[in-house]
Amino acid sequence: EAKVHVPDGFLDVPTSLATAGVAVVGVGLALRGARKELDERTAPLAGLVAAFIFAAQMVNFPVGAGTSGHLLGGALAAALVGPWTGVLCVSVVLLVQGLLFADGGLTALGTNITLMALVGVGSAWLVLVAIRKVLPAKPGSVVLASAVAALVSVPVAATVFTLLFAVGGVAEVPLDKVLVAMVGWHSLIGLGEAVITGLVVGAVIATRPDLVYAARPLLADAELEIRKPQEAQA
């Protein structure tokens, strides 16, 4: 199966240790950065986001040729609770899966956090912000931006895995075949991720746009535009 969720023993020890180091540094930075994101709205939502991603990752959907995929959740987490808190949400999910369900395994935990939490959330947030800037300054634009971010972030994570496999893969599989399988199938998986992310973010924006972290700057701009005419009349 072509999955970003790396099992134990798939990469050699030096590569696994290196990604573990990257994961430790990344999560440490996320702990600091999340202090600015967490408030009375974000904190409760972060728990719900982590629970949703955990449940969604337990459900695999077929993409063809005996290959299945599951939600990575990077774009969804970034959009709803912010990039730093999103990294923590996905990392906690991966930790629980590794400890309680042996999904991915503990020796591959650093690799999975690097791929799905750091690369997945980070690339999704960069894409989301870039697209948000060129779309109309409305909260609804975040739905499309989040969906595209999800679509892009999945093959990006798959590409980074391929690079790690090139450095420290232990399976005797040609690198070009790994690249085609990972990026090709995960481009299809990204379509499913985009649909799920867009639906969830859209549902939250429709009811409580103030809960969507990525929409807050647009809400603030809209409130500012409303206040200006009122102040002028006063």
Side-chain angles (χ1 to χ4, degrees):
E1 291 189 4
K3 286 187 178 182
V4 176
H5 215 136
V6 181
D8 282 330
F10 209 77
L11 299 176
D12 61 21
V13 173
T15 305
S16 297
L17 290 175
T19 56
V22 171
V24 169
V25 173
V27 171
L29 292 174
L31 286 169
R32 295 182 60 181
R35 296 176 184 175
K36 299 179 181 180
E37 296 173 349
L38 290 171
D39 54 25
E40 69 280 357
R41 292 172 295 180
T42 307
L45 186 59
L48 293 176
V49 168
F52 178 84
I53 292 174
F54 178 84
Q57 286 195 3
M58 301 299 286
V59 179
N60 291 323
F61 51 88
V63 293
T67 300
S68 63
H70 60 65
L71 181 82
L72 300 189
L76 179 63
L80 293 179
V81 296
W84 296 117
T85 308
V87 167
L88 297 181
C89 288
V90 177
S91 297
V92 168
V93 169
L94 295 172
L95 177 62
V96 172
Q97 289 178 338
L99 287 174
L100 301 182
F101 296 93
D103 192 358
L106 293 181
T107 63
L109 181 61
T111 302
N112 285 318
I113 288 177
T114 297
L115 291 174
M116 287 187 274
L118 301 182
V119 175
V121 175
S123 61
W125 180 250
L126 292 176
V127 172
L128 192 160
V129 171
I131 295 177
R132 188 181 62 185
K133 289 182 179 180
V134 301
L135 292 178
K138 299 178 180 179
S141 296
V142 175
V143 178
L144 177 59
S146 300
V148 176
L151 177 65
V152 173
S153 65
V154 177
V156 167
T159 301
V160 174
F161 165 78
T162 304
L163 295 176
L164 292 176
F165 183 83
V167 174
V170 298
E172 295 183 0
V173 182
L175 183 61
D176 58 339
K177 290 186 177 181
V178 174
L179 178 63
V180 171
M182 290 298 296
V183 178
W185 287 122
H186 280 86
S187 295
L188 294 177
I189 293 171
L191 290 173
E193 177 120 2
V195 171
I196 295 171
T197 300
L199 289 174
V200 175
V201 174
V204 178
I205 281 184
T207 54
R208 287 288 304 274
D210 59 301
L211 291 180
V212 180
Y213 183 87
R216 291 183 189 178
L218 304 181
L219 291 172
D221 291 342
E223 291 177 0
L224 184 61
E225 291 296 324
I226 293 174
R227 288 177 183 175
K228 285 182 178 179
Q230 291 177 342
E231 292 174 356
Q233 293 176 359

